């Protein structure tokens, strides 16, 4: 089947295409972005033929794409300049010799559907992704040779800094814009883990006594030989919020627990909860700019009321704890242990179902010994069941999910359905290793005191993020891997994104048992909104593809970053001897055209 298809979220457009069979003699494709005025622009190219040098301004018309799917990361920037965010794409097959390419006479030009670069997925759902990938040539260029954590952090701390704006994308305006609703009327109820970014703190301070917040007391570790009394990460923010007369509870958990929420509720002047903002993004400069994150805004009174009830349970638990009751006591755990199923966008073609979970949702905190007999938390049981029921695809991004977690659930689903398209990217090499060991039916070596185990092996389907920091191909620069603990900080799962019963899982929850047992968390499972699922799938595979190439390079695999001069040298990556598609990701994207 000949077809081309485009997918978009607020940050990036993905284009995929197929000529049905192997396009014999094709040297690659020129890709053109076409706006609503029919203006055509050739997309930039990032590779050259052997012996040539990568130059600014080169396009795919000169140096073609030798793939069957590609990302347009510039569409949003074009829209920001022109105010026009709606595009479709033209895919032109090329033939001939390097430096003398021309459109193929034997193959048609393919044109995609129209997409809009926007976070709006339905009347009640808006999904926003940042561009927090710092292991890029763009960041290396922006730092002008001073590729260090210190130089990056110095840049992204400054409001208005261009690199800060590039990396944060739309997520900064989404967070501050949600808070700003309370400036005219109403109020904000928030539960936040980290709050240190100057601009974000000021947005909350700016609404004064209209803010009601449960804030994590993240106590710093004592310095060797120093005082036990150390400043908490959020202490400065706490002082500013108190001065602004915000209502504030400073929630300090015991060891092995974190109060990890990142949500806000907007409540109208009449006291009715109206909307919720949640997701993975911490309110820090690194959360905005130096790790991958997402935020979702839900304009629905029933969902907002559900979060408001949870916020009040957090407030009551903290008040009781300060009076001497156990932290995360039975009333909170009992409330959290029951999910809630709600409908969104009723009466429209965008109708979907939201299953809402909070944690901790087990009767007790997690035992230090854990063991095989520990109870399956209700939210993770639901997630595991949905992953196991997947028909076509399971895609995910996670930080350090622990074990058991999404990595084990995905491995079980893959073993049960060999045709399932599974792709995941995580910060933690150990988490990627869990997928590998589960697929092999083995266990990681036991840790021995004083002995450092070698890095966990990884399966190409689920990888840990890596940068070009050790092995750097010719023509490329060394990159930063991380600025802090996280690289991929999203906590998202996408199941069967092209199906009517597609599922998106998002929130603050790290997608493993530990969060369900011991952490203050929120988790949403949204079923039936295809536009939302495609937006999240676009983000997951954008991040996965970015790191998969770097993972391959760092493995020591021979990687030639140059374009191929003979068609079969690249076409054979995608087609078997009979001319049928053999690449799993191309098959995945083309499912959307069926």
């Amino acid at each position: 089947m000949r077809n081309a298809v485009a997918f978009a979220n607020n940050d990036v457009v993905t284009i995929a295409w197929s000529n049905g069979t192997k396009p014999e003699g094709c040297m690659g494709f020129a890709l053109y972005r076409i706006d609503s005025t029919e203006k055509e622009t050739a997309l930039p190219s990032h590779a050259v033929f052997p012996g040539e040098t990568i130059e600014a301004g080169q396009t795919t018309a000169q140096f073609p794409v030798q793939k069957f799917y590609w990302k347009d990361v510039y569409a949003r920037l074009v829209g920001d300049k022109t105010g026009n965010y709606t595009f479709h794409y033209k895919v032109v097959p090329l033939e001939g010799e390097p430096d003398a390419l021309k459109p193929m006479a034997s193959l048609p030009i393919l044109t995609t559907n129209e997409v809009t670069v926007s976070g709006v997925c339905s009347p009640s759902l808006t999904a926003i992704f940042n561009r927090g990938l710092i292991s890029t040539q763009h960041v290396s260029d922006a730092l002008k040779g001073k590729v260090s954590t210190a130089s990056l952090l110095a840049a992204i701390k400054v409001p208005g800094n261009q690199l800060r704006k590039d990396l944060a994308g739309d997520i900064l305006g989404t967070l501050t814009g949600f808070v700003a609703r309370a400036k005219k009327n109403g109020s904000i109820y928030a539960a936040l883990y980290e709050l240190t970014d100057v601009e974000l703190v000021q947005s909350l301070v700016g609404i004064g006594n209209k803010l009601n917040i449960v804030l994590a007391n993240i106590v710093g570790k004592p310095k060797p030989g120093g005082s036990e009394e150390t400043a908490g990460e959020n202490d400065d923010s706490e002082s500013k919020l108190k001065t602004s007369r915000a209502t504030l509870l400073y929630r300090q958990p015991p060891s092995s627990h974190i109060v990890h929420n990142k949500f806000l509720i907007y409540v109208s002047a009449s006291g009715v909860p109206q909307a919720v903002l949640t997701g993975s993004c911490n309110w820090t400069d690194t959360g905005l700019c130096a790790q991958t994150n997402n935020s979702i805004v839900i304009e629905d009174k029933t969902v907002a009321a559900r979060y408001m009830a949870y916020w009040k349970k957090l407030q009551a638990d903290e008040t009781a704890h300060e009076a001497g009751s156990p932290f995360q006591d039975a009333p909170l755990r009992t409330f959290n242990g029951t999910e809630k199923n709600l409908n969104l966008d009723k009466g429209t073609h965008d109708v979907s179902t939201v299953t809402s979970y909070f944690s901790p949702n087990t009767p007790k905190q997690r035992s230090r010994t854990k063991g095989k007999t520990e109870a399956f938390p209700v939210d993770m049981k639901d997630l595991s069941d949905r992953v196991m029921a997947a028909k076509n695809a399971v895609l995910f991004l996670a930080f350090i999910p622990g074990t058991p977690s999404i990595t084990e659930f995905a491995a079980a689903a893959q073993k049960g359905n060999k045709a399932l398209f599974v792709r995941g990217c995580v910060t933690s090499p150990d988490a990627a290793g869990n997928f590998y060991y589960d697929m092999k039916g083995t266990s990681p070596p036991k840790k021995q005191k004083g002995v450092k185990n070698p890095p966990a092996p990884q399966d190409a389907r689920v990888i840990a993020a890596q940068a070009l920091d050790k092995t750097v191909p010719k023509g490329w620069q060394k990159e930063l891997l991380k600025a802090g603990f996280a690289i991929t900080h999203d906590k998202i799962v996408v199941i069967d994104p092209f199906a009517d019963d597609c599922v998106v899982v998002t929130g603050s929850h790290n997608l493993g048992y530990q969060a369900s047992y011991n952490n203050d968390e929120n988790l949403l499972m949204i079923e039936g909104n295809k536009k939302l699922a495609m937006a999240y799938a676009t983000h997951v595979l954008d991040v996965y593809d970015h790191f998969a190439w770097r993972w391959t390079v760092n493995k020591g695999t021979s990687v030639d970053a140059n374009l191929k001069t003979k068609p079969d040298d690249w076409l054979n990556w995608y087609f078997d001897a009979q001319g049928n598609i053999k690449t799993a990701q191309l098959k995945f994207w083309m499912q959307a055209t069926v």
Side-chain angles (χ1 to χ4, degrees):
M1 179 186 296
R2 288 174 175 164
N3 216 330
V5 62
F7 310 88
N9 53 35
N10 73 291
D11 181 59
V12 67
V13 179
T14 293
I15 310 106
W17 61 94
S18 172
N19 296 90
T21 59
K22 181 179 177 181
E24 300 287 355
C26 181
M27 285 288 286
F29 298 90
L31 303 180
Y32 295 85
R33 182 194 311 114
I34 306 171
D35 68 17
S36 58
T37 69
E38 295 302 312
K39 178 184 176 183
E40 293 187 5
T41 304
L43 294 191
S45 171
H46 304 285
V48 293
F49 290 105
E52 303 197 50
T53 303
I54 299 172
E55 301 285 351
Q58 69 182 50
T59 74
T60 56
Q62 307 158 286
F63 299 102
V65 172
Q66 291 184 336
K67 296 181 70 172
F68 288 86
Y69 42 88
W70 195 248
K71 294 181 295 188
D72 182 5
V73 298
Y74 300 98
R76 178 175 63 84
L77 302 179
V78 170
D80 289 345
K81 290 180 180 178
T82 65
N84 186 345
Y85 293 90
T86 299
F87 309 102
H88 63 283
Y89 293 82
K90 186 169 74 174
V91 183
V92 182
L94 301 176
E95 63 184 350
E97 299 296 323
D99 298 322
L101 298 174
K102 60 182 181 180
M104 294 184 72
S106 60
L107 289 176
I109 293 172
L110 301 176
T111 304
T112 73
N113 54 294
E114 193 172 76
V115 293
T116 299
V117 180
S118 168
V120 178
C121 297
S122 74
S124 67
L125 289 170
T126 299
I128 301 296
F129 307 93
N130 72 342
R131 177 131 293 275
L133 295 168
I134 62 172
S135 54
T136 66
Q137 296 297 289
H138 171 68
V139 169
S140 296
D141 284 338
L143 297 178
K144 299 178 180 178
K146 297 179 180 179
V147 182
S148 69
T149 300
S151 59
L152 175 73
L153 292 176
I156 65 175
K157 286 181 186 298
V158 181
N161 176 277
Q162 187 59 50
L163 185 56
R164 173 182 166 93
K165 292 194 291 185
D166 291 346
L167 293 170
D170 294 333
I171 209 163
L172 174 59
T174 299
L175 302 185
T176 57
F178 195 91
V179 174
R181 296 183 184 197
K183 282 190 174 181
K184 292 183 179 179
N185 56 57
S187 55
I188 295 290
Y189 287 77
L192 297 178
Y193 176 47
E194 292 181 290
L195 175 61
T196 59
D197 181 77
V198 172
E199 201 167 349
L200 293 178
V201 171
Q202 187 53 48
S203 73
L204 293 171
V205 169
I207 61 171
N209 63 1
K210 294 181 177 182
L211 176 66
N212 307 272
I213 184 169
V214 176
L215 183 63
N217 184 1
I218 306 170
V219 178
K221 293 181 180 179
K223 295 180 180 179
S227 169
E228 289 296 319
E229 295 295 326
T230 58
E233 182 180 330
N234 294 331
D235 282 1
D236 184 57
S237 303
E238 179 204 18
S239 299
K240 291 177 179 176
L241 292 173
K242 284 182 175 177
T243 300
S244 72
R245 296 180 295 119
T247 300
L248 184 144
L249 284 172
Y250 213 18
R251 189 157 165 80
Q252 184 173 337
S255 175
S256 79
H257 300 63
I258 54 174
V259 292
H260 197 233
N261 283 302
K262 311 105 175 28
F263 73 80
L264 279 71
I265 310 159
Y266 169 66
V267 177
S268 69
S270 60
V272 179
Q274 300 286 323
V276 171
L277 180 151
T278 186
S280 66
C281 190
N282 284 318
W283 288 49
T284 64
D285 45 35
T286 52
L288 291 171
C289 304
Q291 52 194 228
T292 68
N293 274 308
N294 70 96
S295 289
I296 186 167
V297 177
I298 306 175
E299 306 282 350
D300 184 89
K301 292 180 182 179
T302 57
V303 175
R306 164 81 170 158
Y307 271 75
M308 194 70 229
Y310 172 59
W311 191 94
K312 288 180 179 178
K313 289 292 184 184
L314 287 175
Q315 180 189 44
D317 185 78
E318 179 58 27
T319 302
H321 176 55
E322 290 175 6
S325 295
F327 185 77
Q328 295 174 337
D329 206 3
L332 178 66
R333 288 177 175 271
T334 301
F335 173 86
N336 293 348
T338 303
E339 78 277 13
K340 191 85 169 179
N341 292 305
L342 306 166
N343 290 324
L344 293 179
D345 299 308
K346 288 181 287 187
T348 76
H349 68 279
D350 296 307
V351 64
S352 58
T353 301
V354 174
T355 303
S356 166
Y357 288 101
F358 300 108
S359 58
N361 51 48
T362 54
K364 297 180 180 179
Q365 68 179 8
R366 199 174 195 189
S367 167
R368 291 185 181 276
T369 58
K370 302 180 180 69
K372 295 182 179 179
T373 60
E374 65 179 352
F376 211 149
V378 59
D379 50 359
M380 292 299 93
K381 178 65 166 60
D382 191 353
L383 176 60
S384 175
D385 288 348
R386 290 176 190 260
V387 169
M388 288 300 296
K391 300 176 288 293
N392 301 306
V394 174
L395 315 172
F396 65 91
L397 298 175
F399 172 39
I400 304 175
T403 184
S405 74
I406 180 57
T407 55
E408 286 91 345
F409 307 158
Q414 182 75 92
K415 288 194 288 187
N417 179 359
K418 298 292 191 288
L420 193 66
F421 180 69
V422 173
R423 292 294 183 272
C425 187
V426 296
T427 290
S428 167
D430 286 344
N434 289 341
F435 180 86
Y436 173 91
Y437 288 121
D438 273 26
M439 290 303 298
K440 295 290 185 182
T442 59
S443 300
K446 291 184 177 180
K447 293 184 178 180
Q448 299 179 31
K449 191 174 182 180
V451 178
K452 186 176 181 180
N453 287 339
Q458 296 178 31
D459 183 293
R461 288 166 286 194
V462 176
I463 59 170
Q466 298 187 15
L468 296 177
D469 54 358
K470 296 183 178 69
T471 305
V472 182
K474 185 178 179 182
W476 293 67
Q477 300 178 69
K478 180 181 178 181
E479 299 171 342
L480 278 174
L481 177 60
K482 58 184 177 179
F485 297 109
I487 307 167
T488 53
H489 192 254
D490 292 288
K491 302 96 171 46
I492 55 181
V493 184
V494 186
I495 301 169
D496 296 341
F498 310 127
D500 290 339
D501 58 352
C502 58
V503 177
V504 169
V505 180
T506 188
S508 68
H509 196 292
N510 275 323
L511 306 174
Y513 274 34
Q514 181 70 13
S516 296
Y517 271 89
N518 285 12
N519 297 350
D520 288 354
E521 305 278 11
N522 68 98
L523 185 68
L524 295 168
M525 299 183 186
I526 305 170
E527 181 175 338
N529 189 310
K530 287 186 183 179
K531 190 169 182 181
L532 182 77
M534 291 181 194
Y536 272 84
T538 297
H539 177 64
V540 173
L541 287 175
D542 175 22
V543 174
Y544 172 86
D545 287 345
H546 179 84
F547 288 114
W549 184 71
R550 287 157 174 79
W551 177 78
T552 301
V553 171
N554 287 338
K555 271 202 319 177
T557 305
S558 178
V559 174
D560 182 2
N562 289 316
L563 296 172
K564 309 303 180 188
T565 58
K566 295 180 180 179
D568 281 352
D569 287 350
W570 74 275
L571 288 171
N572 289 343
W573 282 97
Y574 294 91
F575 297 90
D576 61 22
Q578 288 72 46
N580 300 312
I581 296 172
K582 67 179 183 181
T583 304
Q585 189 169 157
L586 180 56
K587 289 180 180 179
F588 164 76
W589 285 123
M590 298 315 293
Q591 289 174 17
T593 67
V594 177

